[in-house]
Amino acid sequence: MRKLEMPSKRARCGTPSPPREHEGAEPEDDEDPQSWSPERLCTYLSHHGFSNPALLSRFRENKIRGSQLPHLNESLLEELGIRSLEDRQKMLDCIRKLNQNHDDAMKHETASVKMFEHLVNANGIETVMKKYGLIPEEDICFIKEQIAGPLDSTVENCSWPYKGRPEEKNFLYEIVANKRNGIDVDKWDYFARDCHHLGIQNNFDYKRFIKFARVCEVDKKKHICTRDKEVGNLYDMFHTRNCLHRRAYQHKVVNIIETMITEAFLKADPYIQIEGAEGKKYKLSTAIDDMEAYSKLTDNIFLEILHSSDPRLAEAREILHKVECRKLYKFVGETQPTGGKKIRMEEYDQLPKDVAASVPRGIALKAELKAEDFIVDVIDMDYGMKEKNPIDNVRFYCKSDRSKAVMITKDQVSQLLPEKFAEQLIRVYCKKTDKQSLDAASKYFVQWCMNKNFTKPQDGDVVAPTLTPMKASWNSQYGSQSPDCNREGSKARTKLFQN
């Protein structure tokens, strides 16, 4: 069989994952599939029902990497030996779900680069750059790399994959979008803006960081380092980021409005036409392929659908009208997985069905709910580097020797810092908003949490008082607040006062 030739695609930038101790283990969720080697890809496929040794051997022989997954189609899969149409479709579904978690970031980076190219060409920026003594060939490349990292996937194994600046200037790639530890001016900008408008305290002092920043040599490369006494300031920065996500970006009401608008846009997608370059028409979902069309995607799209009279947009119009009138899908509750387990990406589609199947035991309900009545939102919260502590990738210098870079571990800073740097939140919403349905949805949700061994919802004892006592682990926490415990504490205090 001829060697398959598919266009290469750059892997997402980030800190390379360390080698796995067990080659046969399934790849972890935080690993970018775009960076998988042929062997890693085969390991994933074998864990998802594609364990035929001959098939996996053909994937290895053709050196099919994770970066080539988006380009696999039925024809290429047939050449790889998957003869059954059902099996080919099954593999394509598997690949689509695998990449779903990384698509948004990839599209964001790629679209940003394309938009920059469009702005340069549409406004004659190269001529202006030359006027100010810049070199467009180098500086435009440098700007793109600041946005998306290395642009050429063929140099991913080189010691220096960037082309905009030489290796001795590698610290310049830690200013705008710092792939090394996430400390960059992009964060400082939206911290200042959003904290100001939301009335949230910004505990990070970027001026102090800039004041104490120095370029030091770390492992024969130059990196931006800061003074050792600023380590607490950096922990405050990531804490501020987490607060903004909890109180604004991932707020329960913000998320459900975003979900409803997305739902409306998906229903309107086949009927919205946006003109791009050379008069070509695009849908909402495909406008990203043409920057002229993409630049026309403004808030006006929302109003265009909301005020349209086209009967084909009736469903989308109804959803947006609910958003306008604040008739939102109702928040039922929030929980978290326990024991270090997380809900995997391929399980997302099944979650509403699982909630609907969790019929409360021994309780008469006034409403019966189905899977389509529920929305389950899974949110990953972290300090920007999944489970890793980003400060572990920061280097500091001391007053006694300003040229020597050192690492400062968490236990050298404070005992009050977080033990974990990532968690997963699970929120459930109900599309039906009448009292009987919401009462039933709350009990469905509590029963689902019990079945899955998730944390007890904060209002669980209120909305389902007959259910929560049935799970022993949810009630053991009251031991420290029991009357017997309180009596013992009272005796101890009495004795203390007597002495």
Side-chain angles (χ1 to χ4, degrees):
M1 182 178 68
R2 66 179 177 85
K3 186 174 181 179
L4 299 177
E5 294 182 1
M6 287 172 283
S8 60
K9 189 173 182 180
R10 183 188 63 77
R12 277 186 66 195
C13 298
T15 306
S17 300
R20 295 182 65 82
E21 295 180 6
H22 306 288
E23 190 62 32
E26 186 174 356
E28 297 177 358
D29 284 345
D30 64 343
E31 293 181 355
D32 187 352
Q34 295 284 324
S35 65
W36 286 356
S37 65
E39 189 61 41
R40 183 68 57 80
L41 176 58
C42 289
T43 301
Y44 175 83
L45 293 176
S46 65
H47 277 85
H48 287 77
F50 301 96
S51 55
N52 186 319
L55 172 63
L56 298 178
S57 178
R58 285 190 287 272
F59 267 80
R60 294 186 182 98
E61 289 171 1
N62 286 277
K63 297 181 180 179
I64 307 297
R65 305 178 61 85
S67 58
Q68 296 169 304
L69 285 177
H71 309 289
L72 289 175
N73 53 36
E74 285 199 35
S75 175
L76 293 170
L77 291 178
E78 189 172 6
E79 288 192 40
L80 284 166
I82 305 179
R83 306 300 179 193
S84 165
L85 176 62
E86 182 180 353
D87 287 343
R88 291 198 296 271
Q89 193 59 49
K90 181 181 176 183
M91 178 169 281
L92 289 174
D93 289 342
C94 181
I95 291 170
R96 186 178 66 253
K97 289 179 180 179
L98 172 66
N99 285 295
Q100 181 180 347
N101 210 29
H102 301 274
D103 277 350
D104 289 342
M106 271 304 299
K107 286 179 180 177
H108 172 71
E109 292 173 351
T110 304
S112 297
V113 170
K114 288 182 177 179
M115 179 58 74
F116 174 66
E117 291 175 344
H118 173 68
L119 293 173
V120 168
N121 296 329
N123 297 283
I125 300 296
E126 288 191 25
T127 304
V128 180
M129 293 177 73
K130 290 177 182 178
K131 180 181 176 181
Y132 285 92
L134 299 174
I135 305 172
E137 293 76 13
E138 292 181 8
D139 294 325
I140 288 177
C141 179
F142 178 56
I143 294 170
K144 291 179 184 178
E145 289 173 338
Q146 293 282 4
I147 298 170
L151 302 175
D152 189 352
S153 61
T154 61
V155 296
E156 59 180 302
N157 296 321
C158 297
S159 60
W160 184 244
Y162 295 96
K163 294 182 177 180
R165 291 293 184 271
E167 188 170 3
E168 56 267 23
K169 297 287 186 180
N170 67 297
F171 62 89
L172 294 176
Y173 290 94
E174 298 177 0
I175 297 174
V176 177
N178 192 343
K179 310 295 182 183
R180 180 177 170 84
N181 51 46
I183 301 170
D184 50 49
V185 297
D186 175 54
K187 283 186 177 61
W188 306 347
D189 177 60
Y190 72 73
F191 282 4
R193 178 196 67 206
D194 297 340
C195 285
H196 171 74
H197 289 290
L198 294 169
I200 296 174
Q201 180 66 38
N202 184 1
N203 294 320
F204 175 66
D205 188 347
Y206 69 89
K207 293 180 181 179
R208 279 186 64 86
F209 182 89
I210 294 174
K211 179 180 178 180
F212 290 106
R214 291 177 62 88
V215 176
C216 301
E217 191 169 287
V218 181
D219 299 329
K220 297 182 180 180
K221 290 186 178 181
K222 293 179 179 178
H223 293 284
I224 296 176
C225 304
T226 191
R227 180 74 184 276
D228 52 355
K229 64 180 180 179
E230 290 304 295
V231 62
N233 196 18
L234 294 182
Y235 275 105
D236 283 343
M237 188 197 81
F238 287 104
H239 177 70
T240 298
R241 177 185 182 275
N242 185 56
C243 288
L244 282 168
H245 273 274
R246 284 184 169 278
R247 299 170 65 181
Y249 312 140
Q250 302 293 346
H251 188 275
K252 60 185 181 182
V253 178
V254 171
N255 280 14
I256 197 58
I257 290 175
E258 181 181 299
T259 299
M260 293 178 71
I261 292 175
T262 302
E263 186 179 339
F265 281 7
L266 286 172
K267 291 182 180 297
D269 186 51
Y271 314 113
I272 299 291
Q273 295 290 310
I274 303 166
E275 187 173 331
E278 300 177 356
K280 188 175 180 180
K281 301 291 185 179
Y282 294 89
K283 298 188 293 185
L284 287 174
S285 58
T286 59
I288 195 171
D289 298 329
D290 184 286
M291 285 300 109
E292 188 170 325
Y294 191 58
S295 62
K296 296 176 182 178
L297 285 183
T298 64
D299 292 346
N300 187 59
I301 297 293
F302 182 101
L303 299 175
E304 183 182 331
I305 298 171
L306 182 65
H307 300 305
S308 69
S309 57
D310 190 335
R312 298 176 300 174
L313 296 174
E315 287 185 271
R317 188 164 55 245
E318 182 182 355
I319 295 172
L320 295 186
H321 182 68
K322 288 181 179 179
V323 173
E324 282 276 289
C325 298
R326 201 71 174 184
K327 296 179 180 178
L328 308 176
Y329 301 150
K330 294 297 182 181
F331 175 72
V332 175
E334 179 179 293
T335 184
Q336 294 186 48
T338 58
K341 295 181 179 178
K342 286 189 176 182
I343 294 181
R344 299 175 63 85
M345 177 180 50
E346 53 265 30
E347 299 177 273
Y348 289 178
D349 293 341
Q350 183 64 29
L351 296 179
K353 299 176 185 176
D354 290 343
V355 178
S358 301
V359 181
R361 301 166 190 166
I363 298 179
L365 300 175
K366 296 181 179 180
E368 183 179 346
L369 301 174
K370 300 178 181 179
E372 53 266 28
D373 297 324
F374 290 104
I375 292 175
V376 182
D377 191 14
V378 181
I379 305 158
D380 290 303
M381 305 282 286
D382 56 55
Y383 267 33
M385 298 187 72
K386 305 297 182 182
E387 285 81 10
K388 300 174 185 177
N389 180 1
I391 305 299
D392 289 342
N393 291 325
V394 182
R395 294 297 179 266
F396 302 85
Y397 66 89
C398 305
K399 186 177 181 179
S400 54
D401 188 349
R402 297 173 183 269
S403 62
K404 185 176 181 180
V406 298
M407 179 180 177
I408 298 178
T409 58
K410 185 166 67 74
D411 59 349
Q412 292 177 276
V413 182
S414 172
Q415 299 297 316
L416 300 178
L417 295 174
E419 287 295 323
K420 295 182 179 180
F421 296 89
E423 65 179 351
Q424 192 175 71
L425 306 180
I426 307 166
R427 293 173 182 159
V428 173
Y429 301 84
C430 183
K431 291 185 178 182
K432 291 185 176 180
T433 57
D434 60 281
K435 185 177 180 180
Q436 291 83 0
S437 295
L438 291 176
D439 179 66
S442 297
K443 293 176 173 58
Y444 272 85
F445 173 62
V446 171
Q447 184 66 60
W448 181 60
C449 293
M450 294 173 66
N451 297 345
K452 293 290 187 178
N453 197 30
F454 292 157
T455 59
K456 181 166 76 170
Q458 292 181 355
D459 62 348
D461 290 328
V462 177
V463 299
T466 58
L467 283 177
T468 52
M470 298 169 64
K471 192 169 180 65
S473 62
W474 280 4
N475 297 280
S476 60
Q477 59 189 326
Y478 294 133
S480 61
Q481 301 176 12
S482 65
D484 292 338
C485 181
N486 289 335
R487 279 194 294 270
E488 289 296 322
S490 179
K491 288 178 182 178
R493 286 193 293 273
T494 303
K495 186 176 180 180
L496 175 66
F497 294 138
Q498 287 175 349
N499 289 339

